[in-house]
Amino acid sequence: MSPEPSRRILITGLSSWWGGRLAQALEREPGVEAIVGIDTEDPRHELERTEFVRVDIKETFLRRIIVAAAIDTVLDTRLISDPLLASLDHVHRVNVEGTRNLLAACSGADSQVRKLVFKSSARYYGSSSDDPAFFSETLARTEPPQTRIERDIVAAEEAASEFAAARRGTTLTVVRCADVLGDDQRSSPLALLGLPVIPSLLGFDPRLQFIHEDDAIGALAHVTRHDLPGRYNAAADGVLALSEVASLLGKPVLPVLPPWGLGFAAGQLRRLGVRVPVELVRELRYGRGLDNRLLKASGFRYRYTTREAVIKLRARQRLRPLLRSGSESYRYEREVEEFLRWSPSVRTVRETARPAPDGDGDGGVDELGVTELIEIISSLEAPDLARLREYEAAHGAREAVLEALDRNLARRQSDNSDE
């Protein structure tokens, strides 16, 4: 007998990039009856049918929501794996105390939760000189956790495992994501790669592996659709040396950091105005690779390799001012949302219109050569292609560029229609 699909879903961390993007993806699933998102802050992504509840991760409140909404699936996206995003004390409250509270709320006798998807991080494995070329899900760390945030990630996963062992009939799926590359993400790896010159450790050119933001969300949505107990690495095919990553981004590498005393190296970067956590400095020395075959064997297909994810990042870095000009960030207003969702006066489906480019802040598009721009065009998605075509038609109107834009637009639209 096949397991029942997820129909009534609770998403924690709705205001985060992870929670908001995942809610948007699951709203398109016809079999999902209800999506409830919880967080302490307003959502940052525009959502059509996800119901938002402002609440802290406290067992009493969570239990009432889970029971009242008859939640059968919980997607926990709250885990913080980057110490630059919050204080270490706050990280501990979220990763360890918050996880325990959530698991306790799911464990009640009146709870209908039968699936828990836990978003974890590749930093569960750490980075050291004794690491294998690729970590499979069955391999343990080669050394004990070295930092507070690594210890918290390990503790959170252990708590989730204890929950699943004690609650028979509940499926636990843990997804360990590699460093995510995307325009909307905020992280220390992206901050490092966004510098004009990329610093490195003297004598080291580590292997790096990433995952594109669309694939990261796609992986979480995939394990939600299917019954997949266990742990899964989510990382794109292929690894790149740091020097190769810098070359693809069109930036030089500057080996200015000493290879001894990783905390000292992080301190040297802070003196240069660059905040890089010790965890990332360890990656800059030892690198890390994840075996992604188990997730692919479950039926998931990555859209981008590590190389392609870096190329798309370069495109966004070069065209960011143009692609963002005139665009408005989403702002949650409860009264407006309730009117649009529930009022009988609303008769049409909302449409999000992107304002036309005004020509300001083109980010050097006109300065890019035809060959270079066409190379960037091939990595853009349909909305950005349309925006760039409108700009090019109103300004340079270069025939080869317009042809490339039209060709790639048609290809993207065909791909979307086939999904």
Side-chain angles (χ1 to χ4, degrees):
M1 180 177 178
S2 60
E4 295 183 11
S6 299
R7 299 190 182 280
R8 305 187 66 82
I9 298 173
L10 176 73
I11 300 178
T12 69
L14 187 68
S15 70
S16 69
W17 175 85
W18 289 96
R21 284 287 306 273
L22 184 56
Q24 288 179 328
L26 294 176
E27 284 184 339
R28 298 191 290 269
E29 297 287 334
V32 175
E33 297 176 358
I35 303 173
V36 179
I38 61 173
D39 213 323
T40 57
E41 300 178 2
D42 291 341
R44 295 184 176 91
H45 295 78
E46 189 167 5
L47 302 168
E48 294 289 341
R49 60 190 183 100
T50 300
E51 297 183 65
F52 169 57
V53 182
R54 189 190 307 277
V55 64
D56 200 354
I57 301 293
K58 294 184 178 179
E59 179 184 349
T60 304
F61 299 148
L62 294 176
R63 189 187 299 273
R64 292 176 63 188
I65 293 172
I66 288 171
V67 172
I71 297 297
D72 58 56
T73 300
V74 173
L75 310 183
D76 190 12
T77 73
R78 301 167 304 105
L79 186 98
I80 302 173
S81 59
D82 192 332
L84 294 190
L85 300 183
S87 70
L88 290 178
D89 288 340
H90 178 75
V91 169
H92 180 79
R93 287 194 295 271
V94 170
N95 290 356
V96 180
E97 296 173 13
T99 297
R100 289 171 179 164
N101 288 340
L102 175 64
L103 297 175
C106 295
S107 301
D110 49 358
S111 168
Q112 300 182 37
V113 173
R114 50 181 171 75
K115 178 188 290 187
L116 170 65
V117 175
F118 185 78
K119 190 268 295 180
S120 189
S121 167
R123 286 189 174 154
Y124 171 89
Y125 298 110
S127 294
S128 77
S129 58
D130 296 326
D131 288 350
F134 293 92
F135 276 104
S136 69
E137 292 83 352
T138 58
L139 294 179
R141 293 177 59 106
T142 57
E143 61 181 18
Q146 299 297 300
T147 66
R148 284 185 63 183
I149 201 161
E150 289 182 359
R151 288 193 290 271
D152 285 351
I153 292 172
V154 171
E157 281 205 24
E158 289 176 348
S161 297
E162 292 169 1
F163 160 80
R167 188 177 172 86
R168 293 189 176 184
T170 300
T171 297
L172 169 66
T173 305
V174 176
V175 181
R176 295 169 179 161
C177 287
D179 290 329
V180 177
L181 295 187
D183 193 53
D184 295 329
Q185 267 282 57
R186 178 171 164 254
S187 67
S188 52
L190 277 175
L192 185 76
L193 298 179
L195 296 173
V197 177
I198 298 178
S200 67
L201 274 70
L202 286 164
F204 289 88
D205 194 13
R207 300 173 309 118
L208 302 177
Q209 187 180 24
F210 302 106
I211 184 171
H212 187 271
E213 59 181 357
D214 292 346
D215 283 334
I217 298 302
L220 289 171
H222 173 77
V223 300
T224 302
R225 296 187 200 101
H226 303 89
D227 195 60
L228 298 171
R231 288 152 184 79
Y232 295 84
N233 292 333
D237 287 339
V239 295
L240 295 171
L242 177 62
S243 58
E244 294 177 295
V245 173
S247 177
L248 289 173
L249 294 175
K251 299 178 179 183
V253 175
L254 187 61
V256 295
L257 303 176
W260 62 86
L262 299 182
F264 175 76
Q268 293 297 102
L269 284 172
R270 284 194 294 270
R271 291 182 60 186
L272 297 174
V274 182
R275 294 185 62 207
V276 176
V278 173
E279 292 83 0
L280 182 54
V281 177
R282 294 181 67 86
E283 289 181 45
L284 292 178
R285 179 169 182 175
Y286 303 115
R288 182 172 53 234
L290 301 185
D291 184 339
N292 65 5
R293 290 177 295 177
L294 188 60
L295 186 60
K296 289 194 289 187
S298 74
F300 182 69
R301 294 294 176 265
Y302 292 90
R303 295 181 61 186
Y304 306 102
T305 64
T306 288
R307 181 183 181 86
E308 290 167 341
V310 173
I311 291 173
K312 288 185 71 65
L313 175 64
R314 177 175 181 265
R316 299 295 302 192
Q317 287 180 346
R318 297 296 301 271
L319 300 180
R320 182 177 292 122
L322 169 67
L323 298 178
R324 286 186 173 177
S325 65
S327 62
E328 297 180 359
S329 60
Y330 171 72
R331 179 178 176 181
Y332 177 83
E333 295 286 352
R334 178 176 293 276
E335 290 79 6
V336 175
E337 293 294 335
E338 290 180 351
F339 168 74
L340 292 173
R341 292 166 191 259
W342 313 119
S343 173
S345 301
V346 177
R347 303 179 60 183
T348 59
V349 178
R350 287 179 295 172
E351 295 181 357
T352 304
R354 295 185 80 169
D358 57 11
D360 295 330
D362 58 278
V365 176
D366 299 322
E367 300 174 4
L368 293 175
V370 172
T371 301
E372 184 178 14
L373 188 54
I374 289 177
E375 179 184 349
I376 293 175
I377 284 170
S378 65
S379 68
L380 297 178
E381 298 297 329
D384 293 335
L385 287 168
R387 187 169 182 79
L388 182 57
R389 193 199 187 287
E390 188 172 356
Y391 178 87
E392 179 67 24
H395 294 79
R398 291 166 286 187
E399 184 176 352
V401 174
L402 291 174
E403 289 179 356
L405 286 164
D406 290 336
R407 184 169 58 253
N408 280 274
L409 262 172
R411 178 166 59 87
R412 291 297 186 199
Q413 291 167 350
S414 175
D415 292 342
N416 292 337
S417 64
D418 292 338
E419 292 181 354

